[in-house]
Amino acid sequence: MEAGLALAASGAPVTLESAAREAGLTKPGLMYHFPTKQALMLGLVDHVIDDWQRRLQQEIGQPPEAVTTAERIRAYLNCVLSDELDRTDVVMCTDVRYSELMTARWVERMQPWLGISENLDAAAQGNLLTARLVADGVWYSTAFCTFPLDTAATESVRATAMALLADT
């Protein structure tokens, strides 16, 4: 998994052959675990999601179904604003040949963490969604170094998003 992610992070094509070579395996050895490139790419997405879920679980200290949507979004925002982010996380969902499949996997597995599970009014749902989109934007911007946030900007973004979450 780490070899495949390293390839993706470097911008090199992730193929069965390149991943095997990077991992020090033979292509048939890699294909024993991932018989197709699609299986490899889904495995890489799952690996990234596993890491996100571990970080979110650490932040909350409980399973996602035991807390409110606002608490889960708050944890996501804290992870995005606090952790070292890796552009590989974003890159994993952008391979044009598998984008739809990988995005569907991401949505399916992250729904328990980032979906709105309570029956809330439209304003509360809007606040939750806006706070999550702020976190998504920070994640994307940080991963691609488009508009890096300094400490003051990070705290301002955190305060604004947290205020949205406080109203839910």
Side-chain angles (χ1 to χ4, degrees):
M1 294 290 92
E2 296 306 319
L5 292 175
L7 286 169
S10 74
V14 179
T15 64
L16 290 170
E17 190 169 313
S18 67
R21 186 175 44 253
E22 183 77 14
L25 301 170
T26 64
K27 184 176 175 182
L30 179 71
M31 290 180 72
Y32 176 79
H33 300 283
F34 303 101
T36 64
K37 181 177 178 190
Q38 179 176 318
L40 174 62
M41 297 307 286
L42 285 175
L44 291 170
V45 168
D46 282 337
H47 184 71
V48 168
I49 294 169
D50 290 344
D51 184 55
W52 269 101
Q53 289 178 338
R54 179 193 54 75
R55 287 188 272 172
L56 290 166
Q57 181 72 42
Q58 278 182 314
E59 181 72 25
I60 292 177
Q62 299 181 61
E65 62 275 3
V67 298
T68 66
T69 301
E71 290 170 303
R72 293 191 313 271
I73 301 296
R74 188 175 295 111
Y76 176 54
L77 183 66
N78 283 334
C79 286
V80 166
L81 290 170
S82 302
D83 285 349
E84 283 292 315
L85 297 176
D86 189 331
R87 81 180 284 218
T88 308
D89 292 2
V90 177
V91 169
M92 288 314 311
C93 290
T94 60
D95 185 312
V96 292
R97 290 164 293 180
Y98 300 106
S99 179
E100 193 173 306
L101 186 64
M102 291 187 297
T103 300
R105 179 66 63 95
W106 183 270
V107 170
E108 171 194 337
R109 297 228 16 236
M110 292 301 287
Q111 181 67 24
W113 289 97
L114 302 179
I116 298 173
S117 58
E118 297 95 335
N119 215 358
L120 301 169
D121 64 38
Q125 287 185 30
N127 286 349
L128 289 168
L129 178 60
T130 302
R132 199 208 77 223
L133 292 173
V134 166
D136 288 348
V138 169
W139 177 42
Y140 187 86
S141 179
T142 302
F144 287 104
C145 300
T146 51
F147 298 100
L149 299 176
D150 62 23
T151 303
T154 298
E155 290 313 310
S156 176
V157 168
R158 183 189 314 275
T160 300
M162 292 299 181
L164 289 168
L165 294 172
D167 293 339
T168 58

